[in-house]
């Protein structure tokens, strides 16, 4: 497959990139400028906008669209108030082959498989967004809570049998061999589970975390539902901890290489315990965290946070309690969180984090925007925790203040919304220029309303290969994003850059909520 990259130049953007190149050149001559001067110079340049200040972003509009995206990813029977009208009911018999009801939930990306691991992580991050930033969502809070519940309703079904978690519906190889609408799919809807004999502490741990976090969301809104979520989270965590093992070992042929856990399951167990402690305030989870904190001492994972690695998220989440003076015995997590913050500052060398010439966080691997939104979310959350404690993070000669962390997070959000060398919004439907050929089956094929006849497995291939824009706008979808040079081909075939995912959007919901109230 040949990759094509568009080049974009104009006077303003070229000038900006030249300034950033000059800043990078300073690093080649460390004797010419004090180290803290280099860091401050890079921070200043990377925080400069790539377009006139008068063109403010409408963060509330972007927030509304980022939440609307989740309705386009729904599986199962759609409710009467479904707002993404070109989507229809799909996968109404999921779970039938295993004698259980597994309808509902989310398709994680541009295919029609329901992967439980990223779906649970998505639900956890949506819940965290509501917990920390729900008060600034305005009328969109209701839709954000509904997005959480669509996930938890499914996770409750997936955990209804004790010591069993149903972790996937759909054979990924069969699905990826076809290009068809979810409403038409006739691929294998194989059900995969972890149990006592085939453990999956990673996916079960993340599921417990999602249920526990969501129980906080519903604590005052629906107390009975909240209690159900918490009790189920406790049961699922006990299963995950007692029957230890990686689901990638138990279900390797089904989940790898798609969502293969390469980071181990210990972080998910600690992540789940942290959320259970936050949700229940039970001493046993605090003691569990204290006994297992040693797993977070690996330096090379200090700035990792995503569906597979929870290290940075655990440190930030637990540090909130330390900064409030409630848990001094967790001081090591605060130190780790500070180290995470320092590793993200432009100009402070860390092999795991780079910045593109246009200022976008970049980490190795596919779908880079998942790192941008999740790490930016942690920057913003931690900035708020620091602000309430009237503290800053010492990073050598530089002091990372809460205001600085917010500006860094905002710079990433603004890049996504269009302040970048391509002059393109990476959120579908936001702004005047955005991806039109996203790697997404439902969006790229004619809707059921426009084309009532079934489109079979291979009959969809011409739509996949077509250079034409997608006929259905998946409003609010944020794609994988540009490459290390800030170039974006807008090609359906280059899925690493053109495919949206639920776990890109979930942390972005919290970011946009905050900046809609604090532009």
């Amino acid at each position: 497959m040949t990759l094509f990259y568009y080049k974009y130049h104009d006077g303003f953007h070229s000038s900006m990139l030249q300034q950033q190149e000059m800043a990078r050149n300073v690093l080649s001559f460390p004797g010419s400028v004090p180290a803290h001067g280099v860091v401050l110079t890079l921070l200043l340049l990377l925080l400069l906008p790539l377009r006139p200040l008068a063109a403010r972003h409408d963060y509330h509009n972007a927030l509304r669209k980022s939440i609307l995206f989740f309705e386009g990813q729904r599986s199962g029977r759609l409710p009467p108030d479904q707002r993404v009208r070109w989507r229809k009911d799909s996968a109404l018999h999921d779970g039938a082959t295993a004698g259980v009801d597994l309808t509902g939930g989310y398709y994680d990306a541009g295919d029609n498989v329901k992967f439980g691991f990223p779906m649970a992580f998505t639900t956890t991050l949506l819940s965290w967004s509501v917990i920390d930033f729900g008060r600034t969502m305005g009328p969109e809070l209701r839709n954000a809570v509904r997005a959480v519940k669509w996930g938890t309703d499914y996770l409750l079904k997936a955990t209804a049998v004790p010591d069993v978690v149903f972790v996937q519906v759909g054979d990924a190889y069969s699905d990826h061999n076809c290009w068809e609408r979810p409403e038409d799919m006739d691929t294998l809807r194989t059900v995969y589970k972890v149990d006592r004999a085939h453990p999956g502490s990673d996916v079960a741990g993340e599921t417990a975390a999602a249920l526990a976090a969501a129980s906080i969301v519903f604590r005052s809104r629906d107390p009975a539902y909240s209690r159900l979520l918490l009790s189920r989270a406790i049961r699922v965590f006990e299963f995950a901890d007692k029957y230890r093992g990686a689901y990638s070992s138990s279900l390797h042929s089904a989940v790898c290489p798609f969502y293969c856990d390469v980071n181990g399951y210990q972080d998910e167990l600690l992540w789940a315990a942290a959320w259970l402690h936050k949700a229940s305030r039970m001493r046993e989870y605090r003691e569990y965290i204290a006994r297992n904190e040693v797993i977070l001492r690996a330096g090379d994972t200090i700035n990792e946070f995503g569906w597979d690695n929870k290290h940075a998220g655990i440190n930030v989440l637990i540090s909130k309690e330390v900064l409030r003076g409630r848990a001094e015995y967790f001081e090591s997590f605060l130190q780790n969180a500070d180290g995470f913050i320092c590793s993200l500052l432009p100009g402070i060398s860390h092999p795991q984090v780079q910045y593109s010439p246009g200022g976008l966080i970049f980490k190795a691997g596919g779908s880079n925007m998942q790192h941008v939104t999740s790490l930016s979310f942690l920057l913003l959350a931690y900035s708020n925790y620091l602000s309430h404690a009237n503290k800053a993070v010492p990073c050598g000669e530089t002091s990372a203040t809460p205001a600085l962390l917010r500006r860094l997070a905002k710079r990433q959000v603004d890049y996504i919304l269009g302040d970048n060398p391509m002059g393109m919004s990476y959120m579908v439907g936001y702004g005047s220029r955005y991806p039109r050929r996203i790697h997404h089956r439902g969006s790229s094929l004619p809707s059921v309303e426009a084309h009532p006849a079934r489109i079979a497995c291979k009959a969809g291939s011409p739509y996949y290969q077509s250079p034409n824009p997608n006929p259905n706008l998946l409003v609010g979808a944020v794609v994988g994003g540009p490459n290390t040079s800030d170039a974006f081909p807008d090609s359906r075939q280059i899925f690493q850059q053109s495919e949206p995912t639920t776990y890109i959007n979930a942390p972005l919901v919290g970011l946009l909520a905050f900046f809609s109230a604090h532009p």
Side-chain angles (χ1 to χ4, degrees):
M1 184 181 297
T2 303
L3 307 185
F4 296 93
Y5 297 100
Y6 296 154
K7 294 185 179 179
Y8 181 85
H9 295 287
D10 66 31
F12 182 80
H13 292 146
S14 296
S15 173
M16 182 64 204
L17 294 180
Q18 287 168 6
Q19 292 178 48
Q20 291 168 337
E21 183 62 33
M22 288 170 61
R24 285 195 299 276
N25 290 339
V26 171
L27 291 175
S28 301
F29 303 96
S32 62
V33 179
H36 65 280
V38 172
V39 174
L40 291 174
T41 299
L42 282 168
L43 284 171
L44 175 63
L45 292 174
L46 284 168
L47 289 172
L48 284 173
L50 284 176
R51 66 181 192 173
L53 285 172
R56 295 288 184 108
H57 285 297
D58 186 343
Y59 297 107
H60 187 76
N61 181 34
L63 170 64
R64 181 181 63 81
K65 290 175 176 176
S66 70
I67 298 171
L68 180 63
F69 159 74
F70 289 96
E71 295 193 22
Q73 295 300 110
R74 284 172 169 172
S75 178
R77 191 172 301 281
L78 304 182
D81 59 354
Q82 167 80 8
R83 294 178 295 167
V84 181
R85 305 302 296 179
W86 53 266
R87 279 297 322 283
K88 304 298 178 186
D89 298 346
S90 63
L92 297 180
H93 303 290
D94 277 0
T97 57
V100 291
D101 174 14
L102 294 176
T103 57
Y106 291 113
Y107 303 115
D108 72 292
D111 55 23
N112 300 326
V113 182
K114 292 195 299 204
F115 292 101
F117 204 174
M119 194 193 306
F121 180 69
T122 293
T123 306
T124 308
L125 266 290
L126 272 174
S127 297
W128 198 355
S129 290
V130 171
I131 292 166
D132 274 24
F133 305 109
R135 64 189 178 279
T136 61
M137 289 182 182
E140 286 306 312
L141 176 58
R142 175 178 174 272
N143 291 320
V145 171
R146 290 175 71 229
V148 172
K149 192 171 187 296
W150 194 270
T152 52
D153 282 351
Y154 176 83
L155 295 178
L156 288 172
K157 292 179 180 181
T159 57
V161 180
D163 292 344
V164 172
V165 179
F166 293 97
V167 299
Q168 183 173 317
V169 181
D171 178 273
Y173 292 98
S174 173
D175 180 90
H176 291 183
N177 190 47
C178 295
W179 194 260
E180 59 185 351
R181 303 176 296 201
E183 294 84 358
D184 289 334
M185 76 177 138
D186 53 1
T187 50
L188 296 172
R189 301 302 288 174
T190 312
V191 175
Y192 300 92
K193 67 179 180 179
V194 294
D195 54 26
R196 297 180 184 181
H198 310 88
S201 301
D202 34 26
V203 64
E206 183 60 61
T207 302
L211 294 167
S215 76
I216 301 173
V217 172
F218 291 98
R219 183 179 290 158
S220 60
R221 294 179 175 89
D222 188 340
Y225 189 67
S226 175
R227 289 192 295 271
L228 172 61
L229 292 172
L230 183 56
S231 65
R232 187 65 58 83
I234 291 171
R235 190 177 82 186
V236 173
F237 176 74
E238 290 174 351
F239 160 66
D241 190 43
K242 184 176 182 180
Y243 301 97
R244 293 194 172 196
Y247 95 135
S248 301
S249 299
S250 300
L251 298 171
H252 189 274
S253 61
V255 303
C256 296
F258 313 104
Y259 286 101
C260 194
D261 183 8
V262 299
N263 187 60
Y265 56 79
Q266 292 89 349
D267 56 324
E268 274 81 27
L269 290 176
L270 194 55
W271 174 243
W275 277 110
L276 279 162
H277 181 252
K278 186 176 179 67
S280 71
R281 312 309 300 178
M282 292 171 64
R283 193 169 96 180
E284 65 182 272
Y285 299 112
R286 184 188 72 199
E287 293 173 346
Y288 186 96
I289 294 168
R291 288 197 308 272
N292 291 278
E293 66 175 306
V294 67
I295 69 166
L296 292 184
R297 293 178 184 169
D300 60 344
T301 60
I302 195 169
N303 49 37
E304 294 285 343
F305 184 53
W307 61 265
D308 181 26
N309 191 319
K310 310 304 183 307
H311 284 72
I314 295 168
N315 288 321
V316 168
L317 181 66
I318 295 177
S319 292
K320 181 178 182 180
E321 299 300 308
V322 183
L323 288 167
R324 288 186 169 186
R326 296 177 180 171
E328 292 82 0
Y329 38 82
F330 287 154
E331 185 70 28
S332 63
F333 293 95
L334 182 66
Q335 294 170 5
N336 288 340
D338 286 354
F340 157 70
I341 293 299
C342 295
S343 76
L344 289 187
L345 295 186
I348 293 183
S349 176
H350 195 284
Q352 301 295 326
V353 179
Q354 304 172 29
Y355 283 83
S356 73
L360 185 70
I361 290 173
F362 205 93
K363 292 176 72 69
S367 190
N368 178 62
M369 214 61 91
Q370 65 177 308
H371 306 301
V372 175
T373 59
S374 61
L375 295 178
S376 297
F377 178 91
L378 294 184
L379 279 172
L380 181 61
Y382 201 55
S383 76
N384 285 349
Y385 304 160
L386 289 169
S387 183
H388 287 300
N390 196 27
K391 297 200 174 181
V393 178
C395 298
E397 299 289 336
T398 301
S399 178
T401 64
L404 174 60
L405 301 188
R406 289 185 189 118
R407 288 197 296 271
L408 286 171
K410 185 174 182 293
R411 177 68 189 89
Q412 298 304 305
V413 172
D414 289 347
Y415 186 109
I416 292 171
L417 297 182
D419 290 3
N420 55 65
M422 292 286 290
M424 169 178 277
S425 161
Y426 290 103
M427 176 184 286
V428 174
Y430 180 87
S432 59
R433 187 167 185 243
Y434 49 81
R436 302 278 183 169
R437 300 162 187 84
I438 68 172
H439 183 96
H440 190 277
R441 286 158 175 76
S443 173
S444 66
L445 290 156
S447 68
V448 172
E449 186 174 337
H451 189 293
R454 180 174 172 272
I455 301 174
C457 171
K458 295 301 182 182
S461 297
Y463 298 98
Y464 170 74
Q465 297 163 354
S466 170
N468 297 327
N470 289 6
N472 308 306
L473 278 186
L474 185 58
V475 173
V478 178
V479 297
N483 63 14
T484 53
S485 302
D486 298 296
F488 180 75
D490 196 10
S491 171
R492 202 172 292 115
Q493 288 78 28
I494 307 177
F495 67 90
Q496 298 92 335
Q497 293 181 254
S498 64
E499 187 170 21
T501 70
T502 56
Y503 46 91
I504 290 176
N505 272 55
L508 184 60
V509 168
L511 287 159
L512 291 170
F514 179 84
F515 291 120
S516 67
H518 307 89

